[in-house]
Amino acid sequence: MRFRAKIVDLGCLNHFTRVSNTISKLAKTCTLRLSPDKLYFILSDKVANGGVSMWCELGQGNFFDEFQMEGVAADHNEIYLELTPENLSRALKTAQNAKTVKIKLTNKHCPCLTVAVELPSLSSSSRIVTHDIPVGVIPRKLWTDFREPTVPDFDVSIYLPVLKTMKSVVERMKNLSSHVIIEANLKGEMNLKIETDLVCITTHFKDLGNPPWDIVHNRIVHFILLHEDVSLQYFIPALS
Amino acid sequence: MKCLVTGGNVRVLGKAAHSLSRIGDELYLEPLEDGLSLRTVNASRSAFACFLFAPLFFQHYQASRPPQGQPPRCKVLMKSFLSVFRSLAALEKTVERCCIALSTENSRLVIQLHCKHGVTKTHNLSFQECESLQAVFDPALCPHLLRAPARVLVEAVSPFSPALSEVTLGVSRGRRVVFRSYLEEDTDAARAMMTEMSLSEEEFQQLQAQEGASITFCLKEFRGLLSFAESANLLLNIHFDVPGRPAIFSIEDSLLDGHFVLATLSQSDLCSQEPCRPGQGTHSTTHLDDFANDDIDSYMIAMETTVSEGAAVTPRTPSPVSEEEAEPNVVPGTPPLKKFRSLFFGSVLAPTESPSEPNPVLAEDSEGEG
């Protein structure tokens, strides 16, 4: 098993850092799956048991200037690692002005993802910050646990309003209640509602588009974020 | 004792208070001929810090009132002293003069801040008279020296989490200066991230140490001096010896100097191939009970400050070896000992001097005065 990758472009580095920061907020530990073309951050708590689940896919070519990997075997050319995403975020935080960032799979006192950051310095020789992030290698027999979720059957699918607006609404609601009710219909209308003993607050959104999917019944809220080179899917089980 | 600080120096004094507060809970004030010394020591006696402000730092400095001759030494609660200088921004913006006076009649350390708009804030801190807090250390005896602008060192330790307790500093192959996070014995090595920062020798004004030299010390305590040095834009010197001997961190300019003396772990190994793994360290268990002289009073003083003549160390039993998980790459080793050696404190009384008053140390253990 080998993995070596390098980021040289600052824009790509910032983007990768932002993805890593997002993942670290969504999951305490997750699985990093490496294939020749893509990286995946996967969290697969069984949603039926009330756990959230997440699938994030990145095209490696959009981030890395160099990317080489050799999987566990020729016919299974992938690597699955268990990782604490917060460690990756902390490592990338030190790379804000980096000249290069190299990430490789190493075996120090245990398997590690080593992030080596080359920083500019006043002298002729760069500063180097090295982070060894311990990872767990997930054996091949468990790989089937990490399959991409199929787009589930659902009642309604709707485009969310401008995220900034939604974020500020939800942040304020957070102070009042720990649960939020999401209502949406096929006419492009969505409500975010909180109900407590004292007060009931609803924010109405109109004229949101509905993507053209088929409709069937389901009990999971599925958030999909699609960006040019990253897709992130996040599943939250409904309480009722 | 009476002194007056004006202008920007008030903030400097405040910054020093903040630095010292990272080390100990009690602030010792010693007015000396060559300036006002502020000192502190931590509870486990593994860190000692002092600042000496030269008379020129003050607009007016009087160590002691002539009739008495002997300048009073006192200690106050660090929290109380710090509260006077809590907001450095406010000190800079509003305080014009700061007057510190030791009033033995009222048993109070009076700190007056004369601020803009005619506002005067007077703080009356209760103090305890005490003997001198003195750590025995001599930078000249340390074979290794590292000197750099504070800014470089601030950047060097910036990759480390503020929660990190200890760091290993050393010279690795190629004469690079390396800071590496130190994993404590109870850290789950399987989960903990290891971080290392490596800088070229060229970034240092002076590097007098051979490859392989390294020490492990408390980063949190070091940051206390580092932030002061950075705000004053000073060079910082790190004098060190073999692992186990205290390391001396110092700064100076024409008006003041500061020394932080920190104990180092007796086992320190900067291997470039693998992260620092605790090995079987040899621990000195010598415990010297020699005192400067047999005079009962210096014996009593030794109770207040640990006195020794040489390498005094509190005896420890070696920790049991702990087996790590049975993996081929993991070396079972002794968990690193968290306890740092106690620092060495010298006897206050010179052999010729005789104590004039009944032993003040006895008062130490009684309830503080109201």
Side-chain angles (χ1 to χ4, degrees):
Chain A
M1 266 195 313
R2 277 181 67 238
F3 170 59
R4 302 170 66 88
K6 185 158 116 175
I7 304 179
V8 168
D9 178 68
L10 214 55
C12 294
L13 177 59
N14 288 340
H15 197 172
F16 187 66
T17 305
R18 278 198 298 271
V19 173
S20 167
N21 291 343
T22 305
I23 303 292
S24 67
K25 286 187 198 143
L26 294 174
K28 281 218 146 52
T29 59
C30 73
T31 300
L32 172 62
R33 173 183 162 192
L34 303 166
S35 76
D37 312 312
K38 296 197 194 206
L39 287 96
Y40 305 80
F41 289 97
I42 305 165
L43 174 68
S44 67
D45 255 348
K46 299 286 179 277
V47 178
N49 294 345
V52 297
S53 126
M54 169 190 74
W55 179 276
C56 176
E57 201 173 298
L58 289 76
Q60 63 88 346
N62 295 315
F63 296 90
F64 298 93
D65 291 88
E66 283 172 30
F67 192 93
Q68 301 156 25
M69 64 141 299
E70 257 171 46
V72 294
D75 53 342
H76 293 273
N77 196 22
E78 300 200 332
I79 301 173
Y80 283 65
L81 300 171
E82 193 186 337
L83 162 82
T84 303
E86 202 213 320
N87 284 341
L88 182 60
S89 289
R90 283 205 283 142
L92 293 172
K93 200 163 153 200
T94 64
Q96 276 171 1
N97 301 321
K99 285 157 80 167
T100 65
V101 174
K102 292 188 194 145
I103 306 180
K104 42 190 180 168
L105 189 58
T106 57
N107 194 359
K108 305 225 164 155
H109 50 286
C110 67
C112 286
L113 210 57
T114 295
V115 178
V117 180
E118 194 188 337
L119 292 168
S121 79
L122 293 173
S123 78
S124 56
S125 161
S126 300
R127 295 175 182 172
I128 301 176
V129 183
T130 314
H131 301 274
D132 289 323
I133 304 170
V135 293
V137 178
I138 299 175
R140 214 190 319 170
K141 62 179 189 272
L142 296 176
W143 287 8
T144 50
D145 289 351
F146 306 102
R147 271 192 291 243
E148 178 172 5
T150 47
V151 177
D153 303 328
F154 47 80
D155 295 320
V156 180
S157 179
I158 193 165
Y159 288 120
L160 290 174
V162 174
L163 290 178
K164 235 194 231 174
T165 314
M166 206 171 115
K167 180 179 169 183
S168 62
V169 169
V170 173
E171 296 254 295
R172 285 185 185 111
M173 287 180 161
K174 203 168 66 168
N175 297 329
L176 295 167
S177 168
S178 55
H179 300 107
V180 68
I181 300 169
I182 305 178
E183 297 168 344
N185 65 23
L186 291 167
K187 294 198 216 116
E189 289 168 350
M190 184 175 94
N191 293 340
L192 289 176
K193 185 160 43 173
I194 52 169
E195 285 174 352
T196 68
D197 294 335
L198 297 173
V199 74
C200 171
I201 301 178
T202 311
T203 306
H204 304 271
F205 296 93
K206 289 203 295 224
D207 296 327
L208 307 168
N210 295 97
W213 305 109
D214 284 334
I215 309 153
V216 185
H217 178 73
N218 203 291
R219 298 173 65 72
I220 299 175
V221 179
H222 179 198
F223 291 92
I224 307 181
L225 166 69
L226 289 168
H227 194 253
E228 0 178 289
D229 32 24
V230 180
S231 82
L232 172 62
Q233 301 179 47
Y234 197 66
F235 304 83
I236 306 177
L239 291 169
S240 62
Chain B
M1 186 267 293
K2 189 169 178 178
C3 58
L4 185 64
V5 186
T6 57
N9 283 353
V10 179
R11 186 178 192 274
V12 175
L13 185 63
K15 202 83 178 88
H18 279 261
S19 273
L20 293 168
S21 70
R22 304 284 282 265
I23 303 287
D25 296 327
E26 290 181 322
L27 179 70
Y28 289 69
L29 286 102
E30 300 194 28
L32 304 168
E33 278 311 301
D34 37 337
L36 177 65
S37 180
L38 301 180
R39 304 174 186 191
T40 187
V41 67
N42 71 355
S44 57
R45 306 277 178 167
S46 61
F48 167 85
C50 67
F51 282 93
L52 178 67
F53 296 93
L56 280 179
F57 177 83
F58 304 92
Q59 182 157 72
H60 170 75
Y61 177 72
Q62 182 178 40
S64 62
R65 260 178 279 162
Q68 267 182 320
Q70 174 81 335
R73 294 188 210 102
C74 71
K75 62 177 181 176
V76 297
L77 279 182
M78 185 69 75
K79 248 193 333 201
S80 312
F81 192 85
L82 188 63
S83 68
V84 179
F85 303 97
R86 170 91 57 211
S87 166
L88 294 168
L91 288 179
E92 193 165 24
K93 267 204 305 216
T94 61
V95 178
E96 290 166 351
R97 288 186 333 274
C98 167
C99 180
I100 305 179
L102 194 59
S103 163
T104 36
E105 301 90 49
N106 306 337
S107 302
R108 288 284 182 273
L109 179 73
V110 183
I111 306 181
Q112 265 194 332
L113 299 176
H114 299 267
C115 311
K116 285 189 186 154
H117 314 301
V119 174
T120 302
K121 299 178 190 172
T122 307
H123 300 257
N124 293 292
L125 280 63
S126 61
F127 66 81
Q128 274 184 313
E129 281 190 25
C130 60
E131 287 307 316
S132 175
L133 183 71
Q134 182 75 45
V136 174
F137 63 93
D138 185 358
L141 294 178
C142 296
H144 308 304
L145 169 64
L146 203 141
R147 173 186 285 149
R151 185 192 39 82
V152 170
L153 293 169
V154 167
E155 288 167 8
V157 300
S158 64
F160 301 102
S161 146
L164 180 66
S165 287
E166 282 114 26
V167 75
T168 302
L169 161 65
V171 182
S172 76
R173 282 205 284 267
R175 307 251 334 138
R176 288 190 72 88
V177 176
V178 172
F179 287 84
R180 181 184 291 151
S181 59
Y182 183 80
L183 294 180
E184 293 172 29
E185 62 195 65
D186 50 5
T187 316
D188 186 1
R191 310 283 304 276
M193 193 163 115
M194 193 283 292
T195 299
E196 179 185 290
M197 161 67 102
S198 149
L199 304 99
S200 148
E201 181 186 8
E202 294 166 23
E203 300 214 49
F204 295 83
Q205 268 221 355
Q206 203 172 340
L207 178 61
Q208 202 174 288
Q210 68 267 47
E211 286 177 16
S214 79
I215 46 165
T216 301
F217 56 88
C218 180
L219 177 60
K220 287 183 184 171
E221 289 165 349
F222 171 54
R223 285 192 202 264
L225 181 63
L226 195 53
S227 88
F228 181 91
E230 192 197 10
S231 70
N233 209 14
L234 295 171
L235 288 174
L236 199 145
N237 301 305
I238 307 179
H239 302 263
F240 61 104
D241 200 334
V242 296
R245 303 275 312 158
I248 304 161
F249 302 80
S250 69
I251 49 149
E252 69 176 334
D253 75 7
S254 51
L255 298 180
L256 59 86
D257 65 56
H259 289 84
F260 274 44
V261 186
L262 305 181
T264 63
L265 283 189
S266 54
Q267 166 73 25
S268 182
D269 196 9
L270 197 80
C271 328
S272 38
Q273 287 311 328
E274 11 184 87
C276 186
R277 298 301 294 159
Q280 302 269 2
T282 49
H283 313 291
S284 157
T285 52
T286 349
H287 181 50
L288 293 173
D289 279 304
D290 297 332
F291 296 106
N293 54 49
D294 286 331
D295 189 82
I296 186 73
D297 292 301
S298 27
Y299 176 82
M300 296 305 286
I301 289 160
M303 302 248 293
E304 148 75 343
T305 58
T306 317
V307 176
S308 68
E309 282 198 7
V313 147
T314 43
R316 290 182 301 244
T317 51
S319 306
V321 172
S322 73
E323 290 292 324
E324 315 258 16
E325 278 181 63
E327 279 183 37
N329 293 329
V330 175
V331 176
T334 321
L337 290 161
K338 281 180 79 155
K339 271 205 171 316
F340 287 91
R341 294 182 178 197
S342 286
L343 287 181
F344 326 131
F345 287 81
S347 166
V348 169
L349 295 183
T352 50
E353 218 177 290
S354 53
S356 47
E357 300 145 59
N359 210 314
V361 175
L362 293 172
E364 285 295 351
D365 297 326
S366 61
E367 292 295 324
E369 46 203 23

